[in-house]
Amino acid sequence: MVQAIPAYAMVCFVFPKKFYTKLNSHISNFWWGGDLEGKGVHWTNWGLLSMSKLEGGLGFRDFHKFNLALLARQGWRLVKYPQSFCARILKGIYFAHSNFMEASKGQRAFWAWASILQGRDLLLQGIRWQVNSGTEAKFWENKWIPYVPGFKVTSPKPRGNDFQTGCDAIDSMTKR
């Protein structure tokens, strides 16, 4: 039997794979359980059941993905609200000389910090810069170009090119 775990714990910690497997197993057994002898019919696989309804699935939650999404949300809060109490504490302990997106795990990291870094990895897959003035987005390294697959410059850097940030490539008069 899966023990009750407070919902707020999924926001702070990555749970072990064994826990997710057991939880998903209980859910599938409930839906596919059938009669008292457990002879149910598996109408479709779990992958289809856990797809969103928009994609043709039934919208069941994959708890591992859900847990990572909640941790990514915590990471986004550290980026969005760097002056919050939590962000300042974590910055002082784990990334005093860098920012959250470049922070490393360290050798003696707490479980909560290691978990938030796993959420950051998910965040890095989809995050991109919104260029306003273009002074902060690094031209060659960051994802900042809309309507381009990957939102990033994929061509090799030509010799003699001195573009450092996005604003170096934007015409100040036409804003293009």
Side-chain angles (χ1 to χ4, degrees), residues 2-172:
V2 177
Q3 293 186 358
I5 294 180
Y8 63 82
M10 286 189 86
V11 176
C12 300
F13 305 106
V14 169
F15 290 125
K17 187 174 183 175
K18 186 177 179 180
F19 173 77
Y20 295 117
T21 304
K22 191 176 259 191
L23 189 59
N24 286 336
S25 172
H26 284 296
I27 292 170
S28 65
N29 286 340
F30 173 79
W31 287 102
W32 293 325
D35 58 18
L36 295 175
E37 294 150 11
K39 295 181 180 177
V41 176
H42 291 251
W43 294 105
T44 188
N45 68 22
W46 182 253
L48 183 62
L49 291 177
S50 61
M51 283 175 48
S52 75
K53 291 179 182 177
L54 293 174
E55 296 173 322
L58 292 178
F60 289 9
R61 197 164 266 152
D62 180 324
F63 287 99
H64 180 63
K65 290 178 183 176
F66 182 62
N67 185 215
L68 288 178
L70 290 174
L71 291 167
R73 182 178 180 197
Q74 291 302 324
W76 178 248
R77 286 181 178 162
L78 294 176
V79 171
K80 187 81 171 155
Y81 306 108
Q83 295 304 315
S84 71
F85 181 70
C86 180
R88 288 183 295 154
I89 294 290
L90 290 174
K91 181 168 181 62
I93 296 171
Y94 294 110
F95 55 101
H97 303 295
S98 66
N99 61 42
F100 170 68
M101 300 308 272
E102 298 168 352
S104 62
K105 183 177 173 184
Q107 292 183 355
R108 300 182 66 187
F110 284 109
W111 184 24
W113 176 245
S115 298
I116 291 173
L117 288 180
Q118 286 188 39
R120 181 192 63 185
D121 293 342
L122 178 65
L123 194 59
L124 284 170
Q125 292 176 17
I127 198 170
R128 65 183 174 94
W129 282 85
Q130 180 177 354
V131 178
N132 294 321
S133 64
T135 58
E136 294 183 35
K138 296 176 185 168
F139 185 85
W140 297 100
E141 292 88 24
N142 295 139
K143 297 176 181 180
W144 65 278
I145 304 174
Y147 311 113
V148 172
F151 303 105
K152 197 173 182 180
V153 176
T154 56
S155 61
K157 184 177 180 179
R159 267 192 236 136
N161 183 290
D162 59 349
F163 288 170
Q164 297 297 316
T165 62
C167 70
D168 294 338
I170 297 172
D171 183 2
S172 60

